[in-house]
């Protein structure tokens, strides 16, 4: 029987979660659920210099808003805890020591000044200094001094790092679930730092120790980590562990031009790249939630950034995504981020949404404008306008005339207000006054009968009628507006137009 799937999302709390990170979390979530496995969240905060207060809370809140919360994390089913690397500090030293003992790692005492000097010296010769198998025997390491000397220097409190001793002349043939066969030449790798004398591991050591101890079966992460894959596999082997499987997700690219979508692209180009708004003293970065996106729509468009199920289907519930998702169908090539398409997704969810739910979401906007209206009427208004909206925040502009009579009339549309129009509108008022059952279909039937009987052209009545009620030639079906605002208000507006146009 194959092992129970356990996957993780392992962000570093260095700021708000970028949309690329959210997609990584989503793909892990989908993969776990598809395979009846577990999705956990680990906070990778070994680099205290880059720690940003609030980032961890932000990440959890964002996943919760999207409906893809982890099964295990800080404070939740802590079976493999702690889930914060800074609280796992005591675990790593032992493995660094084990690597030293087995000859897979070594101590390096080079001071920052010494390393700088090496860099300069190389630069002068037109070369780049790389800490690797070419240099390591010439540097200040335990590879060239005796064990006693090494122990003495450490005991004396000298600063050191532990570096991985990358094997020489090996070609690694590895498999990535998305990319297939990938090949790495170990001679091209540098000897990465694994551990520092301040007692903290680096990302590389902590990441593989934790993935091992926390039972990770599949590492699903962004393409930017692909170059780390050979080191990670070598570390698993050096520690005598089986390596998890790897899947490196394609980059998310800018909407136009080349390159990776950056945290800065969003507000610069007028769309959010963060799930939730993020405020600092210097700036506010907009979030999908605050912009009025539905979490389901965000999940849906993110799922299609770099994946499809082989059909043209675009609209998926989370449950459908879980059923359809297949890591093998994730693309290798970068996925272009299309803000217009995101809006389209939101529009699709908006038109499917329950009208009363939308009315309740719209209500605060009206309250702010001191407009009071009952829920049933508001629900009706929403049903009339939502077809053309992408966001609840679009509603006001599309429906203000339901609540406030026009104060101005669109100049271009007013050209249709002819000499005979006031009399026609006056007659229309008389027709409307006589209607008992003031419902859209009935009003329409009676008004049209009146026009036919008197041989009045449609345009002659309908355009000035709409202009009188709305102030412009916009809005939903005219007789629906008439029904909602009611007989009295319709007549008041017609009279006002007769007097002012
Ligand atoms: N902490 C890394 C990051 O911030 C995790 C990379 C990985 O998933 O291994 O993306």
């Amino acid at each position: 029987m194959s092992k129970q799937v356990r996957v993780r999302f392992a962000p570093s709390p260095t700021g708000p979660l970028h949309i690329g990170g959210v997609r990584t979390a989503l793909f892990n979530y989908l993969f776990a659920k598809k395979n009846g496995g577990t999705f956990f969240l680990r906070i990778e905060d070994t680099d205290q210099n880059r720690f940003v207060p609030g980032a961890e809370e932000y990440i959890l809140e964002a996943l919760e808003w999207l409906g893809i919360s982890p099964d295990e994390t800080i404070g939740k089913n802590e079976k493999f805890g702690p889930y914060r690397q800074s609280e796992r500090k005591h675990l790593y030293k032992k493995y660094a020591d084990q690597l030293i003992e087995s000859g897979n790692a070594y101590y390096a005492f080079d001071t920052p000044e010494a390393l700088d000097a090496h860099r300069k010296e190389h630069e002068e010769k037109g070369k780049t200094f790389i800490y690797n198998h070419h240099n390591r025997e010439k540097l200040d390491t335990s590879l060239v001094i005796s064990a006693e000397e090494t122990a003495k220097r450490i005991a004396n409190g000298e600063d050191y790092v532990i570096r991985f001793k990358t094997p020489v002349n090996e070609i690694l043939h590895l498999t990535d679930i998305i990319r297939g066969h990938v090949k790495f030449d170990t001679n091209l790798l540098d000897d990465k730092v694994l551990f520092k004398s301040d007692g903290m591991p680096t990302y590389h050591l902590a990441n593989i120790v934790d993935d091992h101890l926390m039972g990770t079966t599949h590492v699903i992460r962004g393409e930017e980590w692909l170059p780390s894959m050979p080191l990670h596999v070598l570390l698993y082997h050096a520690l005598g562990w089986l390596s998890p499987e790897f899947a490196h997700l394609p980059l998310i690219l800018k909407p136009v031009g080349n390159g990776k979508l950056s945290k800065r692209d969003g507000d610069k180009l007028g769309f959010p790249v963060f799930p939730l708004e993020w405020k600092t003293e210097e700036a506010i970065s907009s979030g999908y939630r605050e912009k009025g996106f539905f979490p389901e729509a965000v999940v849906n468009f993110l799922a299609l950034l770099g994946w499809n199920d082989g059909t043209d289907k675009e609209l998926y519930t989370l449950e459908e995504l879980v059923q359809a998702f297949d890591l093998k169908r994730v693309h290798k090539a970068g996925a272009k981020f299309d803000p217009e398409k995101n809006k389209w997704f939101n529009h699709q969810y908006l038109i499917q949404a329950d009208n009363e739910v939308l009315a309740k979401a719209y209500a605060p906007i009206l309250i702010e404008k001191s407009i009071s209206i009952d829920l049933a009427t508001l629900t009706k208004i929403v049903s009339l306008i939502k077809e053309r909206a992408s966001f609840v925040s679009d509603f006001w502009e599309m429906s203000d005339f339901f609540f406030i009579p026009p104060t101005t009339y669109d100049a271009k549309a007013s050209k249709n207000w002819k000499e005979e129009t006031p009399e026609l509108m006056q007659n229309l008022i008389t027709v409307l006054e006589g209607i008992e059952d003031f419902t859209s279909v009935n009003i329409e039937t009676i008004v049209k009968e009146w026009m036919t009987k008197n041989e009045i052209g449609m345009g002659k009545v309908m355009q000035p009628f709409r202009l009188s009620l709305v102030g412009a030639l916009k809005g939903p079906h005219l007789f629906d507006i008439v029904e909602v605002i009611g007989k009295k208000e319709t007549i008041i507006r017609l009279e006002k137009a007769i007097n002012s146009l």
Side-chain angles (χ1 to χ4, degrees):
M1 210 181 71
S2 61
K3 237 169 115 190
Q4 168 91 50
V5 164
R6 285 183 60 81
V7 291
R8 83 310 192 261
F9 177 47
S12 301
T14 55
L17 194 56
H18 175 249
I19 211 72
V22 180
R23 189 202 50 182
T24 300
L26 174 63
F27 282 19
N28 274 284
Y29 175 93
L30 296 176
F31 183 75
K33 300 296 152 186
K34 172 74 184 255
N35 292 289
T38 301
F39 167 52
F40 68 93
L41 178 112
R42 178 177 70 229
I43 293 290
E44 300 211 324
D45 58 349
T46 52
D47 188 349
Q48 292 292 326
N49 296 328
R50 297 181 61 220
F51 177 82
V52 173
E56 185 184 301
E57 293 76 7
Y58 178 100
I59 292 165
L60 283 161
E61 193 181 335
L63 298 186
E64 193 180 329
W65 178 65
L66 292 162
I68 55 168
S69 288
D71 302 307
E72 297 170 12
T73 190
I74 303 152
K76 184 177 177 190
N77 299 326
E78 296 201 12
K79 285 191 220 98
F80 292 78
Y83 287 76
R84 221 182 255 125
Q85 282 185 330
S86 57
E87 289 166 19
R88 302 172 65 84
K89 212 174 142 185
H90 58 284
L91 291 167
Y92 306 111
K93 174 81 172 38
K94 162 171 145 197
Y95 299 103
D97 290 344
Q98 192 180 318
L99 289 167
I100 297 259
E101 269 151 42
S102 60
N104 286 297
Y106 58 91
Y107 293 100
F109 297 96
D110 319 86
T111 59
E113 297 75 36
L115 289 174
D116 259 352
H118 289 305
R119 267 181 223 116
K120 279 217 187 81
E121 192 191 317
H122 274 71
E123 260 165 40
E124 274 157 23
K125 291 185 207 148
K127 289 184 184 164
T128 312
F129 172 72
I130 305 170
Y131 211 116
N132 64 4
H133 65 283
H134 280 299
N135 297 316
R136 65 188 171 214
E137 314 273 329
K138 294 174 223 142
L139 294 158
D140 192 8
T141 74
S142 59
L143 297 172
V144 288
I145 57 173
S146 69
E148 292 74 42
E149 175 71 9
T150 303
K152 210 165 96 198
R153 286 175 73 175
I154 293 171
N156 283 343
E158 223 178 283
D159 277 346
Y160 67 86
V161 296
I162 295 177
R163 286 182 181 269
F164 187 61
K165 192 176 170 207
T166 313
V168 188
N169 298 332
E170 270 184 41
I171 300 292
L172 297 175
H173 293 274
L174 307 178
T175 304
D176 179 276
I177 298 172
I178 296 165
R179 279 143 225 280
H181 173 242
V182 277
K183 206 167 83 176
F184 296 94
D185 180 348
T186 59
N187 285 356
L188 302 177
L189 305 177
D190 56 339
D191 288 356
K192 284 270 187 286
V193 173
L194 303 176
F195 197 85
K196 291 179 269 173
S197 46
D198 65 3
M200 271 304 222
T202 60
Y203 155 72
H204 297 291
L205 182 67
N207 185 272
I208 66 115
V209 167
D210 287 344
D211 277 337
H212 175 72
L213 297 180
M214 299 172 99
T216 305
T217 56
H218 299 76
V219 169
I220 306 168
R221 60 185 175 190
E223 184 179 324
E224 62 275 27
W225 297 105
L226 186 61
S228 298
M229 183 180 171
L231 169 65
H232 292 185
V233 172
L234 288 168
L235 277 169
Y236 283 110
H237 293 172
L239 287 162
W241 298 333
L242 268 178
S243 142
E245 290 188 54
F246 288 90
H248 289 91
L249 306 175
L251 294 177
I252 300 181
L253 306 173
K254 291 182 198 296
V256 279
N258 296 320
K260 200 174 140 179
L261 181 74
S262 80
K263 293 193 176 190
R264 263 158 285 116
D265 283 330
D267 289 320
K268 208 169 69 193
L269 300 169
F271 53 85
V273 290
F274 298 110
L276 318 177
E277 192 173 84
W278 175 259
K279 282 189 203 151
T280 61
E281 272 166 28
E282 298 87 56
I284 299 180
S285 305
S286 66
Y288 281 96
R289 182 177 64 184
E290 290 73 13
K291 283 273 177 196
F293 278 86
F294 296 106
E296 297 85 353
V298 177
V299 163
N300 197 152
F301 76 69
L302 283 180
L304 292 171
L305 271 182
W307 170 85
N308 68 51
D309 74 353
T311 71
D312 290 337
K313 186 173 159 79
E314 290 190 290
L315 295 174
Y316 294 85
T317 62
L318 186 57
E319 197 37 54
E320 286 170 335
L321 284 173
V322 167
Q323 291 315 319
F325 189 71
D326 182 355
L327 258 186
K328 293 207 175 79
R329 288 204 56 90
V330 173
H331 315 151
K332 280 187 246 182
K336 242 192 196 349
F337 185 85
D338 181 351
E340 280 310 309
K341 190 78 194 196
N342 297 354
K343 234 165 107 176
W344 177 86
F345 274 106
N346 214 57
H347 168 70
Q348 297 300 323
Y349 279 84
L350 186 133
I351 56 181
Q352 282 174 24
D354 180 69
N355 295 328
E356 194 177 308
V357 170
L358 292 174
K360 285 182 180 155
Y362 185 17
I365 300 178
L366 297 175
I367 291 169
E368 193 147 292
K369 298 183 186 291
S370 308
I371 289 164
S372 70
I373 182 157
D374 64 281
L375 184 61
T377 311
L378 190 57
T379 303
K380 170 87 187 178
I381 293 172
V382 164
S383 76
L384 298 177
I385 58 168
K386 70 171 184 180
E387 266 326 301
R388 297 224 185 96
S390 296
F391 302 99
V392 171
S393 59
D394 295 340
F395 286 175
W396 173 250
E397 220 203 296
M398 303 170 77
S399 64
D400 54 354
F401 50 85
F402 280 104
F403 316 102
I404 310 172
T407 46
T408 56
Y409 299 93
D410 179 72
K412 219 167 120 207
S414 304
K415 289 199 181 112
N416 293 317
W417 192 274
K418 303 274 160 56
E419 243 185 81
E420 73 272 20
T421 307
E423 199 190 325
L424 270 176
M425 292 299 108
Q426 202 57 60
N427 293 341
L428 176 63
I429 291 175
T430 313
V431 175
L432 294 171
E433 270 168 345
I435 302 175
E436 284 292 317
D437 171 18
F438 211 73
T439 53
S440 177
V441 179
N442 195 47
I443 306 164
E444 180 168 2
T445 312
I446 295 177
V447 170
K448 284 188 174 162
E449 269 171 19
W450 164 70
M451 289 192 287
T452 318
K453 214 173 100 198
N454 296 285
E455 293 178 359
I456 312 166
M458 274 279 248
K460 282 207 162 107
V461 173
M462 299 303 276
Q463 288 202 5
F465 192 9
R466 182 179 286 279
L467 187 66
S468 307
L469 301 188
V470 177
L473 297 183
K474 63 168 193 183
H477 186 55
L478 185 58
F479 293 99
D480 288 339
I481 304 176
V482 175
E483 179 190 320
V484 172
I485 65 174
K487 192 194 279 189
K488 201 169 137 208
E489 178 67 14
T490 302
I491 292 172
I492 293 174
R493 291 192 191 184
L494 280 168
E495 281 167 347
K496 190 174 168 212
I498 294 169
N499 294 330
S500 37
L501 274 157

